[in-house]
Amino acid sequence: MAASMLKVAVAGISKCAHQLVPVLRTYSTSKVLCRGVPETVWKLGRLNHVAIAVPDLEKATALYRDVLGAQVSATVPLPEHGVYTVFVELGNTKLELLHPLGEKSPIAGFLQKNKSGGMHHICMEVDDINAAIVDLKARKIRTLSEEPRIGAHGKPVMFLHPKDCDGVLVELEQA
């Protein structure tokens, strides 16, 4: 079945004539995003958070709380993940500030390569994390652990290998 199409006229500037020239772009309004990809038994949900590794957790927390006016959580140690976390509420999603906890912290290694810190991973919710893991492994997407672990929100999480996800470390979290 053909997807319904919506044409939107967008004004653009021609480099040759320096005049406004209408440009047509076509956007699909259907929910089918990938033709030929079979339906799965699990569904990808909303963006839960973007995680940022920071070399100075107090300074980063103060930036978001005192300068930008965001609500921030208390600092929570997660020894099983080797991090301290602070969540910044943004209304439609969250930022997770990450700081190393312990010598074997994966964030310590990240900060050695990126002295000023930076985006570490994105986290998306799934409605069935176990089904998602089975399906993704069957599709040759590597995971960073064999089984889900309990994450910062007290829910099962699984990290997907960045080399299989276009260079992005992806965390899946049970919705």
Side-chain angles (χ1 to χ4, degrees), residues 3 15 41 108 127 134 152 155:
K15 290 184 180 179
V41 296
D127 66 347
V134 169
K155 299 177 180 181

Side-chain angles (χ1 to χ4, degrees), residues 44-49 91-94 123-126 173:
L44 189 63
R46 70 180 190 93
L47 176 68
N48 184 283
H49 64 266
N92 62 342
T93 193
K94 298 179 279 297
C123 176
M124 295 179 285
E125 296 175 358
V126 293
E173 180 179 276

